């Protein structure tokens, strides 16, 4: 059915959702806020808060690029490429996921499922079935996992496997070295000065990212520290600067990260790939398997050690490289 054949009320709803999605998809700050606000309205949609806190991490990774350490360590050209990679992935996920969230919200308001309208937002048939299933049988954890599975497949081809990004970012010496030295991580801070999270292993592998997402969901909702982690995610303003949580740490860090909106411009995007990543015959059951309960989730000491190693690397690089930056 074409959009012109829909009832007027549904056509207007599609238009309203597109406008709301555009308002929320301005930059990393707006996305983080919109996810959190949605979670406050619908706490059964666990993925929304998870997405908000992971979005915070994307913002921190962005402003790292303009920190005093990274400006000395990396060339402007490389930093710009990495920023656009984070920004593109962030944008793609929001443009796909937020219409799903709003259609669920309006389904509750109208007291009937509206998931047939997901087709008009190019949402995967996989998620359409999952939302229909959730409406009939609200399995909260399964829907959260389904959204994790979907979002990681959504960014796989247009971002992770994009020829230019793959060549200049994920196959770069800097990225390979960073992954080897375990500098990539997702942090869930608390106001008590504790840091929880996991190291990001094989980030380009969609299966690894899905497993990471499932572990982060466990950490956010099922670990012993869920309350303090969620309190930070819902109460602390997101500026994009790591000062948001570093001010609570019992030590100081030499790396200074700026506020995101005073550092980066608004980037315009266009969703080019609207081909459904899911096709009949794809084996999805393994993605829904329960994870093993993670150990060593408190990475406060690990983070402190890594910051010391990074500071040492910056100082050493400045002495060894004549022009001061890695291309």
């Amino acid at each position: 059915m074409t959009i012109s054949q829909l009832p007027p009320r549904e056509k207007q709803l599609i238009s309203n959702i597109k406008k709301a999605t555009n308002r929320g998809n301005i930059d990393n700050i707006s996305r983080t806020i919109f996810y959190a606000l949605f979670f406050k309205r619908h706490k059964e949609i666990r993925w929304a808060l998870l997405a908000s806190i992971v979005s915070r991490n994307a913002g921190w990774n962005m402003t790292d690029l303009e920190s005093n350490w990274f400006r000395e360590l990396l060339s402007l050209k490389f930093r710009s490429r990495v920023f656009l990679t984070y920004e593109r992935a962030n944008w793609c996920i929001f443009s796909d996921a937020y219409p799903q969230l709003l259609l669920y919200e309006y389904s509750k308001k109208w007291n009937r499922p509206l998931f047939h309208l997901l087709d008009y937002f190019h949402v995967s048939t996989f998620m359409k079935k999952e939302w229909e299933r959730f409406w009939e049988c609200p399995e909260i954890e399964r829907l959260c996992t389904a959204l994790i599975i979907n979002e990681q497949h959504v960014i796989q081809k247009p971002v992770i496997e994009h020829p230019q990004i793959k060549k200049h970012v994920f196959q770069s010496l800097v990225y390979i070295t960073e992954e080897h030295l375990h500098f990539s991580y997702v942090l869930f801070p608390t106001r008590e000065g504790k840091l929880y999270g996991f190291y990001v292993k094989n980030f380009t592998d969609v299966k690894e990212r899905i497993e990471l997402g499932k572990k982060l969901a466990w950490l956010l909702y099922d670990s012993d520290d869920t309350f303090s982690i969620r309190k930070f995610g819902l109460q602390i303003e997101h500026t994009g600067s790591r000062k948001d949580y570093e001010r609570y740490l019992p030590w100081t860090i030499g790396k200074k990260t700026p506020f995101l909106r005073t550092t980066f411009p608004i980037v315009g995007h266009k969703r080019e790939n609207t081909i459904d990543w899911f096709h009949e015959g794809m084996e999805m059951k393994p993605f829904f398997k329960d994870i093993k309960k993670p150990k060593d989730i408190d990475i406060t000491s690990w983070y402190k050690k890594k910051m010391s190693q990074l500071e040492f690397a910056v100082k050493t690089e400045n002495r060894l490289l004549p022009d001061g930056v890695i291309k």
Side-chain angles (χ1 to χ4, degrees):
M1 183 185 293
T2 64
I3 194 168
S4 62
Q5 295 173 304
L6 291 173
R9 194 181 187 201
E10 291 186 1
K11 285 194 288 188
Q12 185 60 51
L13 178 60
I14 290 173
S15 176
N16 292 343
I17 288 177
K18 286 182 177 179
K19 290 176 183 177
T21 301
N22 289 337
R23 287 197 300 272
N25 213 0
I26 294 172
D27 62 8
N28 173 265
I29 303 293
S30 62
R31 295 171 200 129
T32 303
I33 293 170
F34 272 53
Y35 284 138
L37 289 175
F38 183 89
F39 175 77
K40 289 178 180 179
R41 300 196 302 271
H42 307 282
K43 290 187 171 57
E44 70 274 22
I45 308 301
R46 291 183 166 190
W47 181 85
L49 181 58
L50 175 64
S52 181
I53 300 180
V54 172
S55 182
R56 283 178 181 260
N57 276 265
W60 296 331
N61 288 335
M62 289 176 182
T63 59
D64 273 346
L65 297 168
E66 293 301 315
S67 67
N68 53 326
W69 288 358
F70 280 62
R71 286 174 66 89
E72 294 180 13
L73 191 63
L74 305 173
S75 70
L76 174 60
K77 189 173 184 179
F78 183 77
R79 285 185 280 121
S80 297
R81 284 172 173 161
V82 176
F83 162 71
L84 289 173
T85 301
Y86 284 126
E87 169 63 20
R88 180 65 178 171
N90 219 208
W91 183 91
C92 284
I93 290 172
F94 191 92
S95 65
D96 182 83
Y98 200 66
Q100 298 180 52
L101 302 183
L102 291 186
L103 277 173
Y104 170 72
E105 183 170 59
Y106 278 96
S107 294
K108 288 174 68 175
K109 286 181 179 179
W110 294 9
N111 200 31
R112 65 181 177 91
L114 296 167
F115 306 118
H116 61 288
L117 298 180
L118 289 171
D119 293 339
Y120 301 96
F121 297 95
H122 307 291
V123 173
S124 69
T125 52
F126 167 78
M127 277 315 304
K128 185 177 179 181
K129 291 177 182 177
E130 289 296 326
W131 280 110
E132 289 169 347
R133 175 175 177 151
F134 182 75
W135 186 259
E136 296 298 326
C137 182
E139 299 173 79
I140 292 174
E141 289 185 13
R142 181 184 173 92
L143 182 69
C144 184
T145 300
L147 284 161
I148 291 169
I149 293 168
N150 181 68
E151 69 173 82
Q152 295 308 327
H153 278 94
V154 163
I155 65 170
Q156 187 64 21
K157 288 193 178 297
V159 180
I160 307 301
E161 296 179 8
H162 188 283
Q164 293 300 312
I165 295 175
K166 186 176 181 180
K167 178 181 177 180
H168 295 296
V169 176
F170 295 120
Q171 292 180 346
S172 69
L173 177 62
V174 177
Y175 174 79
I176 294 169
T177 302
E178 182 185 57
E179 185 162 84
H180 177 71
L181 295 176
H182 294 190
F183 279 115
S184 299
Y185 44 82
V186 177
L187 289 179
F188 283 8
T190 70
R191 296 176 71 171
E192 292 73 37
K194 290 286 188 179
L195 301 174
Y196 300 94
F198 302 104
Y199 159 65
V200 182
K201 181 182 178 182
N202 298 329
F203 181 79
T204 56
D205 187 331
V206 66
K207 295 177 183 178
E208 292 284 354
R209 295 199 310 277
I210 290 169
E211 286 305 299
L212 171 65
K214 289 160 64 177
K215 288 197 295 183
L216 291 170
W218 172 86
L219 180 58
L220 183 58
Y221 292 106
D222 298 310
S223 70
D224 293 336
D225 305 284
T226 174
F227 178 75
S228 58
I229 293 171
R230 278 191 273 171
K231 185 171 67 172
F232 183 97
L234 291 169
Q235 295 181 358
I236 302 302
E237 179 186 3
H238 176 54
T239 69
S241 170
R242 290 194 185 272
K243 293 176 184 177
D244 294 350
Y245 67 85
E246 287 178 346
R247 57 183 158 154
Y248 297 108
L249 298 177
W251 72 88
T252 57
I253 295 175
K255 178 166 66 69
K256 305 301 180 184
T257 56
F259 297 130
L260 190 140
R261 283 184 167 169
T262 61
T263 306
F264 296 109
I266 301 298
V267 180
H269 297 274
K270 184 178 180 181
R271 191 171 179 180
E272 298 170 353
N273 183 11
T274 56
I275 299 173
D276 192 345
W277 63 263
F278 179 78
H279 57 82
E280 293 300 328
M282 287 184 71
E283 182 56 61
M284 305 306 292
K285 286 184 179 179
F287 292 129
F288 285 101
K289 286 183 178 179
D290 292 338
I291 61 167
K292 294 181 180 179
K293 185 177 179 180
K295 298 179 180 179
D296 303 321
I297 61 173
D298 184 339
I299 61 172
T300 313
S301 298
W302 178 90
Y303 181 79
K304 182 178 182 181
K305 178 181 178 182
K306 287 299 172 184
M307 288 302 100
S308 297
Q309 291 175 347
L310 182 56
E311 184 173 19
F312 177 77
V314 171
K315 292 178 179 178
T316 302
E317 181 270 340
N318 283 341
R319 290 197 297 268
L320 295 179
L321 292 183
D323 60 355
V325 294
I326 301 173
K327 303 297 184 182

